[in-house]
Amino acid sequence: RTEVEADEDLQAALAMSLETTDGTAKTPIGPGLPENFQGQYELFAVITHKGRDADGGHYMAWVKADNPSGNQVEKIIDTDEANEDWFVFDDDDVSPCK
């Protein structure tokens, strides 16, 4: 069996999985997602790594302070900042991003 044949089988299976009972095709959304899914997300953290592998190098994280109630956010670090923004975690140093 060639790679082209395997690809054709995969394409046929995908087409059948997207076919509705009335014969029309539906737009692929993703497994387990509702058809009205909009795909809008709110970014709350980013992690970066610089190094040759996961066991070595340096990790950093940027995290958005959580404020679900809309009230003033509890202070994460001792600064004069309102802490309603993003923070960078670099080893044991935490600083507001401004």
Side-chain angles (χ1 to χ4, degrees):
R1 187 172 162 163
T2 68
E3 191 174 318
V4 172
E5 290 172 327
D7 189 48
E8 289 172 352
D9 289 345
L10 179 62
Q11 292 298 324
L14 178 61
M16 286 189 319
S17 72
L18 295 176
E19 192 173 308
T20 61
T21 54
D22 65 1
T24 61
K26 60 183 177 181
T27 305
I29 297 171
L33 296 175
E35 288 192 29
N36 61 351
F37 180 72
Q38 295 294 312
Q40 297 176 358
Y41 299 89
E42 182 177 344
L43 184 67
F44 64 89
V46 175
I47 298 174
T48 63
H49 176 263
K50 184 176 183 180
R52 290 185 178 249
D53 56 45
D55 295 328
H58 186 72
Y59 287 91
M60 291 180 66
W62 288 261
V63 180
K64 185 176 182 182
D66 189 20
N67 188 5
S69 64
N71 298 328
Q72 185 171 354
V73 176
E74 182 179 332
K75 291 184 88 63
I76 297 175
I77 59 173
D78 188 23
T79 68
D80 293 332
E81 301 293 332
N83 290 349
E84 295 178 2
D85 212 350
W86 287 80
F87 293 85
V88 59
F89 291 75
D90 184 0
D91 292 329
D92 60 350
D93 295 326
V94 180
S95 306
C97 297
K98 288 290 175 178

Coordinates of all heavy atoms in Angstrom, one line a residue:
R1 N 0.8 -1.2 0.0 CA 0.0 0.0 0.0 C 0.9 1.2 0.0 O 1.8 1.4 0.8 CB -0.9 0.0 1.2 CG -1.9 1.0 1.3 CD -2.8 0.8 2.4 NE -3.5 2.0 2.7 CZ -4.6 2.2 3.3 NH1 -5.1 1.2 3.9 NH2 -5.1 3.3 3.5
T2 N 0.6 2.2 -0.9 CA 1.4 3.3 -1.0 C 1.0 4.5 -0.1 O -0.2 4.4 0.4 CB 1.4 3.9 -2.5 OG1 0.1 4.4 -2.8 CG2 1.8 2.8 -3.4
E3 N 1.8 5.4 0.0 CA 1.5 6.6 0.9 C 0.3 7.4 0.3 O -0.5 7.9 1.0 CB 2.7 7.5 1.0 CG 2.6 8.6 2.0 CD 3.9 9.4 2.2 OE1 5.0 8.8 2.2 OE2 3.8 10.6 2.3
V4 N 0.3 7.4 -1.1 CA -0.8 8.1 -1.8 C -2.2 7.4 -1.5 O -3.2 8.1 -1.2 CB -0.6 8.2 -3.3 CG1 -1.8 8.7 -4.0 CG2 0.7 9.1 -3.6
E5 N -2.2 6.1 -1.5 CA -3.4 5.3 -1.2 C -3.9 5.6 0.2 O -5.0 5.7 0.5 CB -3.2 3.8 -1.5 CG -3.0 3.5 -2.9 CD -2.6 2.0 -3.1 OE1 -1.9 1.5 -2.2 OE2 -3.0 1.4 -4.1
A6 N -2.9 5.6 1.2 CA -3.2 5.8 2.6 C -3.8 7.2 2.7 O -4.8 7.4 3.5 CB -2.0 5.6 3.4
D7 N -3.3 8.2 2.0 CA -3.7 9.5 2.1 C -5.1 9.6 1.5 O -6.0 10.3 2.1 CB -2.8 10.5 1.4 CG -3.1 12.0 1.6 OD1 -3.4 12.3 2.8 OD2 -3.2 12.7 0.6
E8 N -5.4 8.9 0.4 CA -6.7 8.9 -0.2 C -7.8 8.3 0.7 O -8.9 8.8 0.9 CB -6.7 8.2 -1.5 CG -6.0 9.0 -2.6 CD -5.8 8.2 -3.9 OE1 -6.1 6.9 -3.9 OE2 -5.3 8.8 -4.9
D9 N -7.4 7.2 1.4 CA -8.3 6.6 2.4 C -8.6 7.5 3.5 O -9.7 7.6 4.0 CB -7.7 5.3 2.9 CG -7.6 4.2 1.9 OD1 -8.3 4.3 0.9 OD2 -6.9 3.2 2.1
L10 N -7.6 8.3 4.0 CA -7.8 9.2 5.1 C -8.7 10.3 4.7 O -9.6 10.7 5.4 CB -6.4 9.8 5.6 CG -6.5 10.8 6.7 CD1 -7.1 10.2 8.0 CD2 -5.1 11.3 7.0
Q11 N -8.5 10.9 3.5 CA -9.4 11.9 3.0 C -10.8 11.4 2.8 O -11.8 12.2 3.1 CB -8.8 12.4 1.6 CG -7.5 13.2 1.7 CD -7.6 14.4 2.6 OE1 -8.6 15.1 2.6 NE2 -6.6 14.7 3.3
A12 N -11.0 10.2 2.4 CA -12.4 9.6 2.2 C -13.0 9.5 3.6 O -14.2 9.8 3.7 CB -12.3 8.3 1.5
A13 N -12.3 9.0 4.6 CA -12.8 8.8 5.9 C -13.2 10.2 6.5 O -14.2 10.3 7.1 CB -11.8 8.1 6.8
L14 N -12.4 11.2 6.3 CA -12.7 12.5 6.8 C -13.9 13.0 6.1 O -14.8 13.6 6.8 CB -11.5 13.5 6.5 CG -11.7 14.9 7.0 CD1 -11.9 15.0 8.5 CD2 -10.5 15.7 6.6
A15 N -14.1 12.9 4.8 CA -15.2 13.4 4.1 C -16.5 12.7 4.6 O -17.5 13.3 4.8 CB -15.1 13.1 2.6
M16 N -16.4 11.4 4.9 CA -17.6 10.6 5.4 C -17.9 11.1 6.8 O -19.1 11.2 7.2 CB -17.3 9.1 5.4 CG -17.4 8.5 4.0 SD -17.3 6.7 4.0 CE -16.2 6.3 5.2
S17 N -16.9 11.4 7.6 CA -17.2 11.8 9.0 C -17.8 13.2 9.0 O -18.5 13.6 10.0 CB -15.9 11.8 9.8 OG -15.1 12.9 9.4
L18 N -17.7 14.0 8.0 CA -18.2 15.4 7.9 C -19.6 15.4 7.2 O -20.2 16.5 7.1 CB -17.2 16.3 7.2 CG -15.9 16.5 8.0 CD1 -15.0 17.4 7.2 CD2 -16.1 17.1 9.4
E19 N -20.0 14.3 6.7 CA -21.3 14.3 6.0 C -22.4 14.1 7.0 O -22.4 13.4 7.9 CB -21.3 13.1 5.0 CG -22.4 13.1 4.0 CD -22.3 12.0 3.0 OE1 -21.2 11.9 2.4 OE2 -23.3 11.3 2.8
T20 N -23.5 14.9 6.7 CA -24.6 14.9 7.6 C -25.6 13.9 7.0 O -25.5 13.4 5.9 CB -25.3 16.3 7.7 OG1 -25.7 16.7 6.4 CG2 -24.3 17.3 8.3
T21 N -26.7 13.6 7.7 CA -27.7 12.7 7.3 C -28.4 13.1 6.0 O -28.9 12.2 5.3 CB -28.8 12.4 8.4 OG1 -29.3 13.7 8.8 CG2 -28.2 11.7 9.6
D22 N -28.5 14.4 5.7 CA -29.2 14.8 4.5 C -28.2 14.9 3.3 O -28.5 15.5 2.3 CB -29.9 16.2 4.7 CG -29.0 17.3 5.1 OD1 -27.7 17.1 5.1 OD2 -29.5 18.4 5.3
G23 N -26.9 14.5 3.5 CA -26.0 14.5 2.4 C -25.1 15.7 2.3 O -24.2 15.8 1.5
T24 N -25.4 16.8 3.0 CA -24.6 18.0 3.0 C -23.4 17.8 3.9 O -23.4 17.1 4.8 CB -25.4 19.2 3.4 OG1 -25.9 19.0 4.8 CG2 -26.6 19.4 2.5
A25 N -22.4 18.6 3.5 CA -21.1 18.5 4.4 C -21.2 19.6 5.4 O -21.7 20.7 5.2 CB -19.9 18.7 3.5
K26 N -20.7 19.2 6.6 CA -20.6 20.2 7.7 C -19.2 20.6 7.8 O -18.2 19.9 7.5 CB -21.2 19.7 9.0 CG -20.5 18.4 9.5 CD -21.2 17.9 10.8 CE -20.5 16.7 11.3 NZ -21.2 16.1 12.4
T27 N -19.0 21.8 8.4 CA -17.7 22.4 8.6 C -17.0 21.7 9.8 O -17.7 21.6 10.9 CB -17.7 23.9 8.9 OG1 -18.4 24.5 7.8 CG2 -16.4 24.5 9.0
P28 N -15.8 21.2 9.7 CA -15.1 20.6 10.8 C -14.9 21.6 11.9 O -14.4 22.7 11.7 CB -13.8 20.1 10.3 CG -13.6 20.9 9.0 CD -14.9 21.3 8.5
I29 N -15.2 21.2 13.1 CA -15.1 22.1 14.3 C -14.0 21.6 15.2 O -13.1 22.3 15.7 CB -16.4 22.3 15.0 CG1 -17.4 23.0 14.1 CG2 -16.2 23.1 16.3 CD1 -18.8 23.0 14.6
G30 N -14.1 20.3 15.6 CA -13.2 19.7 16.5 C -13.9 18.7 17.3 O -15.1 18.8 17.5
P31 N -13.2 17.7 17.7 CA -13.9 16.6 18.5 C -14.5 17.1 19.8 O -13.8 17.8 20.6 CB -12.8 15.6 18.8 CG -11.5 16.3 18.5 CD -11.8 17.4 17.6
G32 N -15.8 16.9 20.0 CA -16.4 17.2 21.2 C -16.8 18.7 21.4 O -17.3 19.1 22.4
L33 N -16.7 19.5 20.3 CA -17.0 20.9 20.4 C -18.4 21.1 19.8 O -18.7 20.5 18.8 CB -16.0 21.8 19.6 CG -14.6 21.7 20.2 CD1 -13.7 22.5 19.3 CD2 -14.6 22.3 21.6
P34 N -19.2 22.0 20.3 CA -20.5 22.3 19.8 C -20.4 23.0 18.4 O -19.4 23.6 18.1 CB -21.2 23.2 20.8 CG -20.1 23.8 21.6 CD -18.9 22.8 21.6
E35 N -21.5 22.8 17.6 CA -21.4 23.4 16.3 C -21.4 24.9 16.3 O -20.9 25.5 15.4 CB -22.7 22.9 15.5 CG -22.5 21.5 15.1 CD -23.6 21.1 14.0 OE1 -24.0 22.0 13.2 OE2 -24.0 19.9 14.0
N36 N -21.9 25.6 17.3 CA -21.8 27.0 17.4 C -20.6 27.6 18.1 O -20.5 28.7 18.4 CB -23.1 27.6 18.1 CG -23.1 27.1 19.6 OD1 -22.4 26.2 20.0 ND2 -24.1 27.6 20.3
F37 N -19.6 26.7 18.2 CA -18.3 27.1 18.9 C -17.6 28.2 18.1 O -17.5 28.1 16.9 CB -17.4 25.9 19.0 CG -16.1 26.2 19.6 CD1 -16.0 26.4 21.0 CD2 -14.9 26.2 18.9 CE1 -14.8 26.7 21.6 CE2 -13.7 26.5 19.5 CZ -13.6 26.7 20.8
Q38 N -17.2 29.3 18.8 CA -16.6 30.4 18.1 C -15.1 30.4 18.1 O -14.5 31.2 17.4 CB -17.1 31.7 18.8 CG -18.6 31.9 18.6 CD -19.0 32.2 17.2 OE1 -18.4 33.0 16.5 NE2 -20.0 31.5 16.7
G39 N -14.5 29.6 19.0 CA -13.0 29.6 19.0 C -12.4 30.8 19.6 O -11.3 31.1 19.2
Q40 N -13.1 31.5 20.4 CA -12.5 32.7 21.1 C -11.9 32.3 22.4 O -12.6 31.7 23.2 CB -13.5 33.8 21.2 CG -14.0 34.2 19.8 CD -15.1 35.3 19.9 OE1 -15.5 35.6 21.0 NE2 -15.5 35.8 18.8
Y41 N -10.7 32.6 22.7 CA -10.0 32.3 23.9 C -9.5 33.6 24.6 O -9.3 34.6 23.9 CB -8.9 31.4 23.7 CG -9.3 30.1 23.1 CD1 -9.3 29.9 21.7 CD2 -9.6 29.0 23.9 CE1 -9.7 28.7 21.1 CE2 -10.0 27.7 23.3 CZ -10.0 27.6 21.9 OH -10.4 26.4 21.4
E42 N -9.3 33.5 25.9 CA -8.6 34.6 26.6 C -7.3 34.0 27.1 O -7.3 33.1 27.9 CB -9.5 35.1 27.8 CG -8.8 36.2 28.5 CD -9.7 36.8 29.6 OE1 -10.9 36.5 29.7 OE2 -9.1 37.5 30.4
L43 N -6.2 34.6 26.6 CA -4.9 34.2 27.0 C -4.6 34.6 28.4 O -4.9 35.7 28.8 CB -3.9 34.8 26.1 CG -2.4 34.4 26.3 CD1 -2.2 33.0 25.9 CD2 -1.5 35.3 25.5
F44 N -4.2 33.7 29.3 CA -3.9 34.0 30.7 C -2.5 33.7 31.1 O -2.0 34.1 32.2 CB -4.9 33.4 31.6 CG -4.9 31.9 31.6 CD1 -4.0 31.2 32.5 CD2 -5.7 31.1 30.8 CE1 -4.0 29.8 32.5 CE2 -5.6 29.8 30.8 CZ -4.8 29.1 31.7
A45 N -1.7 33.0 30.3 CA -0.4 32.6 30.6 C 0.4 32.2 29.4 O -0.1 31.7 28.4 CB -0.3 31.5 31.7
V46 N 1.7 32.5 29.4 CA 2.7 32.1 28.4 C 3.9 31.5 29.1 O 4.4 32.2 30.0 CB 3.0 33.3 27.5 CG1 4.1 32.8 26.4 CG2 1.8 33.8 26.8
I47 N 4.4 30.4 28.6 CA 5.6 29.8 29.2 C 6.6 29.7 28.0 O 6.3 29.3 26.9 CB 5.4 28.4 29.8 CG1 4.4 28.5 31.0 CG2 6.7 27.8 30.3 CD1 4.0 27.2 31.5
T48 N 7.9 30.1 28.3 CA 8.9 30.0 27.3 C 10.1 29.2 27.9 O 10.3 29.1 29.1 CB 9.4 31.4 26.9 OG1 10.0 32.1 28.0 CG2 8.3 32.2 26.3
H49 N 10.8 28.6 27.0 CA 12.0 27.8 27.4 C 13.1 28.2 26.4 O 12.9 28.2 25.2 CB 11.7 26.3 27.3 CG 12.9 25.5 27.6 ND1 13.7 25.0 26.6 CD2 13.5 25.1 28.8 CE1 14.7 24.3 27.2 NE2 14.6 24.4 28.5
K50 N 14.3 28.4 27.0 CA 15.5 28.6 26.1 C 16.5 27.6 26.6 O 17.0 27.6 27.8 CB 16.0 30.0 26.3 CG 17.2 30.3 25.4 CD 17.6 31.8 25.5 CE 18.7 32.1 24.6 NZ 19.1 33.5 24.7
G51 N 16.9 26.7 25.7 CA 17.9 25.7 26.1 C 17.9 24.5 25.1 O 17.0 24.4 24.2
R52 N 18.8 23.6 25.3 CA 18.9 22.4 24.3 C 17.8 21.4 24.5 O 17.4 20.7 23.6 CB 20.2 21.8 24.5 CG 21.3 22.6 23.9 CD 22.7 21.9 23.9 NE 23.7 22.7 23.4 CZ 24.3 22.4 22.2 NH1 23.9 21.4 21.5 NH2 25.2 23.2 21.7
D53 N 17.3 21.2 25.8 CA 16.3 20.2 26.1 C 15.5 20.6 27.3 O 15.8 21.6 28.0 CB 16.9 18.8 26.2 CG 17.9 18.7 27.3 OD1 17.7 19.3 28.4 OD2 19.0 18.1 27.0
A54 N 14.4 19.9 27.6 CA 13.5 20.3 28.7 C 14.2 20.1 30.0 O 13.8 20.7 31.0 CB 12.3 19.4 28.6
D55 N 15.2 19.3 30.1 CA 15.9 19.1 31.4 C 16.9 20.2 31.8 O 17.4 20.3 32.9 CB 16.6 17.7 31.5 CG 15.6 16.6 31.4 OD1 14.5 16.8 31.9 OD2 16.0 15.6 30.8
G56 N 17.3 21.0 30.8 CA 18.2 22.1 31.0 C 17.8 23.3 30.3 O 16.9 23.3 29.4
G57 N 18.4 24.4 30.7 CA 18.0 25.7 30.1 C 17.2 26.6 31.1 O 17.4 26.4 32.3
H58 N 16.5 27.5 30.6 CA 15.8 28.4 31.4 C 14.3 28.6 31.0 O 14.0 28.8 29.8 CB 16.5 29.8 31.3 CG 16.0 30.8 32.3 ND1 16.3 30.8 33.6 CD2 15.3 31.9 32.0 CE1 15.7 31.8 34.2 NE2 15.1 32.5 33.3
Y59 N 13.5 28.5 32.0 CA 12.0 28.7 31.8 C 11.6 30.0 32.3 O 12.1 30.5 33.4 CB 11.2 27.6 32.5 CG 11.2 26.3 31.8 CD1 12.2 25.3 32.2 CD2 10.3 25.9 30.9 CE1 12.2 24.1 31.6 CE2 10.4 24.7 30.3 CZ 11.3 23.7 30.7 OH 11.4 22.5 30.1
M60 N 10.7 30.7 31.7 CA 10.1 31.9 32.2 C 8.6 31.8 31.9 O 8.2 31.1 31.0 CB 10.7 33.2 31.5 CG 12.1 33.4 31.9 SD 12.8 34.9 31.1 CE 11.8 36.2 31.8
A61 N 7.8 32.6 32.7 CA 6.4 32.6 32.5 C 5.8 34.0 32.6 O 6.3 34.8 33.5 CB 5.7 31.7 33.5
W62 N 4.9 34.3 31.8 CA 4.1 35.6 31.9 C 2.7 35.2 32.2 O 2.1 34.4 31.5 CB 4.2 36.3 30.6 CG 5.5 36.9 30.3 CD1 5.9 38.2 30.5 CD2 6.7 36.2 29.8 NE1 7.2 38.4 30.2 CE2 7.7 37.2 29.7 CE3 6.9 34.9 29.4 CZ2 9.0 36.9 29.2 CZ3 8.2 34.6 28.9 CH2 9.2 35.6 28.9
V63 N 2.1 35.7 33.3 CA 0.8 35.3 33.8 C 0.0 36.5 34.1 O 0.4 37.5 34.7 CB 1.0 34.5 35.1 CG1 -0.4 34.1 35.6 CG2 1.9 33.3 34.9
K64 N -1.3 36.4 33.6 CA -2.2 37.5 33.8 C -2.9 37.3 35.2 O -3.3 36.2 35.5 CB -3.3 37.5 32.7 CG -4.3 38.7 32.8 CD -5.2 38.7 31.7 CE -6.2 39.9 31.7 NZ -7.1 39.8 30.6
A65 N -3.0 38.4 36.0 CA -3.6 38.2 37.3 C -5.1 37.9 37.1 O -5.8 38.5 36.2 CB -3.5 39.6 38.1
D66 N -5.6 37.0 38.0 CA -7.0 36.6 37.9 C -7.9 37.6 38.6 O -7.6 38.0 39.7 CB -7.1 35.2 38.5 CG -8.5 34.6 38.3 OD1 -9.2 35.0 37.4 OD2 -8.9 33.7 39.1
N67 N -9.0 38.0 37.9 CA -9.9 39.0 38.5 C -11.3 38.6 38.1 O -11.9 39.4 37.4 CB -9.5 40.4 38.1 CG -10.3 41.4 38.8 OD1 -11.1 41.1 39.7 ND2 -10.1 42.7 38.5
P68 N -11.9 37.5 38.4 CA -13.2 37.1 38.0 C -14.3 38.0 38.5 O -15.3 38.1 37.8 CB -13.3 35.6 38.4 CG -12.4 35.5 39.6 CD -11.3 36.5 39.3
S69 N -14.1 38.5 39.7 CA -15.2 39.3 40.3 C -15.2 40.8 39.8 O -16.2 41.5 40.0 CB -15.1 39.3 41.8 OG -13.9 39.9 42.2
G70 N -14.1 41.2 39.2 CA -14.0 42.6 38.8 C -13.5 43.5 39.9 O -13.3 44.7 39.8
N71 N -13.3 43.0 41.1 CA -12.8 43.7 42.3 C -11.3 43.9 42.2 O -10.7 43.3 41.3 CB -13.2 43.1 43.6 CG -14.7 43.0 43.8 OD1 -15.4 43.8 43.3 ND2 -15.2 41.9 44.4
Q72 N -10.7 44.6 43.1 CA -9.3 44.8 43.1 C -8.6 43.4 43.3 O -9.1 42.6 44.2 CB -8.8 45.8 44.2 CG -7.4 46.0 44.1 CD -6.9 47.2 45.0 OE1 -7.8 47.8 45.6 NE2 -5.6 47.4 45.1
V73 N -7.6 43.2 42.6 CA -6.9 41.9 42.6 C -6.0 41.8 43.8 O -5.4 42.8 44.2 CB -6.1 41.7 41.3 CG1 -5.3 40.4 41.4 CG2 -7.0 41.6 40.1
E74 N -5.9 40.7 44.5 CA -5.0 40.5 45.6 C -3.6 40.7 45.1 O -3.2 40.2 44.1 CB -5.2 39.1 46.2 CG -4.4 38.9 47.4 CD -4.6 37.5 48.0 OE1 -5.7 37.0 47.9 OE2 -3.7 37.0 48.6
K75 N -2.8 41.4 45.9 CA -1.4 41.6 45.5 C -0.6 40.3 45.4 O -0.7 39.5 46.3 CB -0.7 42.6 46.4 CG -1.3 44.0 46.3 CD -0.5 45.0 47.2 CE 0.6 45.6 46.6 NZ 0.4 46.4 45.4
I76 N 0.1 40.2 44.3 CA 0.9 39.0 44.1 C 2.3 39.2 44.6 O 2.9 38.3 45.2 CB 1.0 38.6 42.6 CG1 -0.4 38.3 42.0 CG2 2.0 37.5 42.3 CD1 -0.4 38.1 40.6
I77 N 2.8 40.4 44.4 CA 4.1 40.8 45.0 C 4.0 42.1 45.6 O 3.1 42.9 45.4 CB 5.2 40.8 43.8 CG1 4.8 41.7 42.7 CG2 5.4 39.4 43.3 CD1 5.9 41.9 41.7
D78 N 5.0 42.5 46.4 CA 5.0 43.8 47.1 C 5.5 44.9 46.2 O 6.7 45.2 46.1 CB 5.9 43.7 48.3 CG 5.8 44.9 49.2 OD1 4.7 45.6 49.1 OD2 6.7 45.2 50.0
T79 N 4.6 45.5 45.4 CA 4.9 46.6 44.5 C 3.8 47.7 44.7 O 2.8 47.4 45.4 CB 4.9 46.2 43.1 OG1 3.6 45.9 42.6 CG2 5.9 45.0 42.8
D80 N 4.0 48.8 44.1 CA 3.0 49.9 44.1 C 2.0 49.7 43.0 O 1.0 50.4 42.9 CB 3.7 51.2 44.0 CG 4.5 51.6 45.2 OD1 4.2 51.1 46.3 OD2 5.5 52.3 45.0
E81 N 2.2 48.7 42.1 CA 1.3 48.4 41.0 C 0.0 47.9 41.5 O -0.1 47.2 42.5 CB 2.0 47.4 40.0 CG 3.3 47.8 39.5 CD 3.2 49.0 38.6 OE1 2.1 49.2 38.0 OE2 4.2 49.7 38.5
A82 N -1.1 48.1 40.7 CA -2.4 47.6 41.1 C -2.5 46.1 40.9 O -3.5 45.5 41.4 CB -3.5 48.3 40.2
N83 N -1.6 45.5 40.2 CA -1.6 44.1 40.0 C -2.8 43.6 39.2 O -3.3 42.5 39.4 CB -1.4 43.3 41.3 CG -0.1 43.4 41.9 OD1 0.8 43.9 41.2 ND2 0.1 43.0 43.1
E84 N -3.3 44.4 38.3 CA -4.4 44.0 37.5 C -4.0 43.7 36.1 O -4.7 43.8 35.2 CB -5.5 45.1 37.5 CG -6.1 45.3 38.9 CD -7.2 46.4 38.9 OE1 -7.4 46.9 37.8 OE2 -7.7 46.6 39.9
D85 N -2.7 43.4 36.0 CA -2.1 43.2 34.7 C -1.3 41.9 34.6 O -1.7 41.0 35.2 CB -1.2 44.4 34.4 CG -1.2 44.9 33.0 OD1 -1.7 44.1 32.1 OD2 -0.6 45.9 32.7
W86 N -0.3 41.9 33.8 CA 0.5 40.8 33.6 C 1.8 40.8 34.5 O 2.3 41.9 34.8 CB 1.0 40.7 32.1 CG -0.2 40.3 31.2 CD1 -1.2 41.1 30.8 CD2 -0.4 39.0 30.7 NE1 -2.0 40.3 30.0 CE2 -1.6 39.0 29.9 CE3 0.3 37.8 30.8 CZ2 -2.1 37.9 29.3 CZ3 -0.2 36.7 30.2 CH2 -1.4 36.8 29.4
F87 N 2.3 39.6 34.8 CA 3.5 39.5 35.6 C 4.4 38.5 35.0 O 4.0 37.6 34.4 CB 3.2 39.0 37.0 CG 2.4 40.0 37.8 CD1 1.0 40.1 37.7 CD2 3.0 40.9 38.7 CE1 0.2 41.0 38.4 CE2 2.3 41.8 39.4 CZ 0.9 41.9 39.2
V88 N 5.7 38.8 35.1 CA 6.7 37.9 34.6 C 7.4 37.1 35.8 O 7.8 37.8 36.8 CB 7.8 38.6 33.7 CG1 8.5 39.7 34.5 CG2 8.8 37.6 33.1
F89 N 7.5 35.8 35.6 CA 8.1 35.0 36.6 C 9.4 34.5 36.1 O 9.4 33.7 35.1 CB 7.2 33.8 37.0 CG 5.9 34.2 37.7 CD1 4.9 34.8 37.1 CD2 5.8 33.9 39.1 CE1 3.7 35.1 37.7 CE2 4.7 34.3 39.8 CZ 3.6 34.9 39.1
D90 N 10.5 34.9 36.6 CA 11.8 34.6 36.2 C 12.6 34.0 37.4 O 13.1 34.8 38.2 CB 12.5 35.8 35.6 CG 13.9 35.5 35.0 OD1 14.3 34.3 35.0 OD2 14.5 36.5 34.5
D91 N 12.6 32.7 37.5 CA 13.2 32.0 38.7 C 12.4 32.5 39.9 O 11.2 32.4 39.9 CB 14.7 32.2 38.8 CG 15.4 31.5 37.7 OD1 14.9 30.4 37.2 OD2 16.5 32.0 37.3
D92 N 13.1 33.1 40.9 CA 12.4 33.5 42.1 C 12.0 35.0 42.0 O 11.5 35.6 43.0 CB 13.2 33.2 43.4 CG 14.5 33.9 43.4 OD1 15.0 34.4 42.3 OD2 15.2 33.8 44.4
D93 N 12.3 35.7 40.9 CA 11.9 37.1 40.7 C 10.5 37.2 40.0 O 10.3 36.6 38.9 CB 12.9 37.8 39.8 CG 14.3 37.9 40.5 OD1 14.3 38.0 41.7 OD2 15.3 37.8 39.8
V94 N 9.6 37.9 40.6 CA 8.3 38.2 40.0 C 8.2 39.7 39.8 O 8.4 40.5 40.8 CB 7.2 37.7 40.9 CG1 5.8 38.0 40.3 CG2 7.4 36.2 41.2
S95 N 7.9 40.1 38.6 CA 7.8 41.6 38.3 C 6.6 41.9 37.5 O 6.2 41.1 36.7 CB 9.0 42.0 37.5 OG 10.2 41.7 38.2
P96 N 6.0 43.0 37.7 CA 4.8 43.4 36.9 C 5.3 43.8 35.5 O 6.4 44.3 35.3 CB 4.2 44.6 37.6 CG 5.3 45.1 38.5 CD 6.2 44.0 38.8
C97 N 4.6 43.4 34.5 CA 4.9 43.8 33.1 C 4.2 45.1 32.8 O 3.0 45.2 32.9 CB 4.4 42.7 32.1 SG 5.2 41.2 32.3
K98 N 4.9 46.1 32.4 CA 4.3 47.4 32.1 C 4.9 47.9 30.8 O 6.0 47.7 30.5 CB 4.5 48.4 33.2 CG 3.6 48.1 34.4 CD 2.2 48.3 34.1 CE 1.3 47.9 35.2 NZ -0.1 48.1 35.0

